[in-house]
Amino acid sequence: MFDFLIQGFDVALTPLNLGLAFTGALLGTLFGALPGIGPINGIAILMPLAYTLGLPAESALILLAGVYTGAEYGGRMSSILLNVPGDAGAVMTTLDGYPLAKKGLAGPALGLSAISSFVGATIAIIGLTLFAPMLAEVAVLFGPAEFFGLMVFAFASMSVMMGNDPVKTGIGAVLGVLVAMVGVDSGTGVMRYTLDMPELYDGVDFVVMIIGLFAISEILLMLEHAHSKKAEDEMPPVGRVMVHIKEVMYCKWAMLRSSIIGFIVGVLPGTGASVASAVAYTTEKRLSDKDNTFGTGDMRGLAAPEAGNNAAAVGSFVPMLTLGIPGSGTTAVLLGALMLYNITPGPMMFTERPEVAGGLIASLYIGNIVLLLLNLPLAGLFAKVLTIPRWALVPGIAILAFVGVYQLHSSLTAIYMMLLIGVVGYALRKLGFSLAPIILGYVLGGLMEDNLRRALSISGGDMGILWQSGISIGLWIAAALLLLMPLIMTKLLPGKSLTHT
């Protein structure tokens, strides 16, 4: 295990990868600070640029992982200063973060959130280091039937845990699977949903899909709200950012408990930072809120979700690296990035491409320290990003999106496809759909079909192979329990919905 980590630091400490880790952390913080941009849009914009620049796979992943973890840090700024979550994982931060800012404690709140994020991410990175190689050894026992059962479990957990509406989440996942089926069937050579368009014979490109679905739809939403009130008119002054040791010690148990909760939740496929922050906050409220101060500006109510969502962000790398299953919408995008380099995430990656897995884990240690050093003294400077007017922000994002897709494909058809997907994504968001399940369905759909084909090929068409092993049976039972959980909880807790508790 330690030899593996030392090898990872050999990769992460090269001048190129150190620079990329710093760049990713800086850009991620800026992307996270802007409401609505978040890690997925940041990665979607930078991924084609990293690929066309010819960066090695491990370097590209270090850059994109830095953006991911940096955005989790940056997302707290608009939550605390404007009461506007930077992304879904920062929703719970607004409950006590904004009241603290209204009390004149915006600076200490930003500082405490940075320290809480550091603690949560550090504990999760240690967990990733300890458990990922061990889980990879267990995952070697998985065959096609077991991987198919794992995909079913991932879809079940996603439909129950992601978002407030399991039905819409399930519909989104199905849409993603349908998009993944477009193109020539690799098994039979049959054209599927290509509309006789040669451009669709190879399917819908991942980069086109991700940039259209997230970046273009976000641009359309920004244009819709172009006349909203300016951030600089309502943002409170930051003041001192450094936190007193007494304030940190007051929140130490909240940070530790929430970090462990966030890591466990993050490891579960399809959950992500939003679920982790909600579970961490509600758990801490039940344990510590003796005087009903949560929601009025309690620092423990700020530390808990910040530690939880950052721990979950790192925890979501565990299933991605060891099983090839994205732990969140953002790691689904990172999974697609690896596939651009013809790397299949899973247990064999630790032996076949140790420089990729080890370099990523080592870079998380480095990037987490960089983020703390950036966010404590420069929080007030980063907060200025919130004052960028939309008339300057929208064209900038649009240029990066168009350049990224055109550099990769040199085709106007790809641009038109990106715009069409963007309009569809915008419509789905207006209808209350989360876009992350669509990407998860798109990424997992192809893997699910491939493993089903392999399993049936091994068994000669006998479906019984899908539940012959103990691992497969356990995964099917777990998936069924997850799907039945809302009904069970409704019976146990009348009048309460699982997704809102």
Side-chain angles (χ1 to χ4, degrees), residues 361-425:
I361 294 174
S363 74
L364 291 174
Y365 283 99
I366 298 169
N368 200 35
I369 295 172
V370 169
L371 282 166
L372 182 66
L373 296 177
L374 282 175
N375 278 267
L376 276 180
L378 301 179
L381 182 61
F382 284 134
K384 297 294 183 183
V385 176
L386 297 172
T387 64
I388 296 177
R390 294 184 186 274
W391 60 262
L393 187 60
V394 170
I397 296 174
I399 290 171
L400 289 173
F402 279 81
V403 169
V405 169
Y406 193 78
Q407 274 190 330
L408 201 59
H409 294 280
S410 300
S411 168
L412 286 176
T413 303
I415 298 292
Y416 296 144
M417 181 69 68
M418 175 189 71
L419 292 173
L420 176 62
I421 293 172
V423 171
V424 173

Side-chain angles (χ1 to χ4, degrees), residues 152-176:
V152 173
F153 171 75
F155 276 112
S157 61
M158 175 176 59
S159 65
V160 173
M161 298 179 184
M162 183 179 286
N164 289 331
D165 192 333
V167 175
K168 286 185 177 179
T169 302
I171 292 173
V174 170
L175 288 175

Side-chain angles (χ1 to χ4, degrees), residues 133-158:
M134 295 166 56
L135 186 58
E137 291 182 8
V138 175
V140 173
L141 303 174
F142 280 50
E146 287 76 16
F147 271 112
F148 179 78
L150 186 64
M151 306 292 174
V152 173
F153 171 75
F155 276 112
S157 61
M158 175 176 59

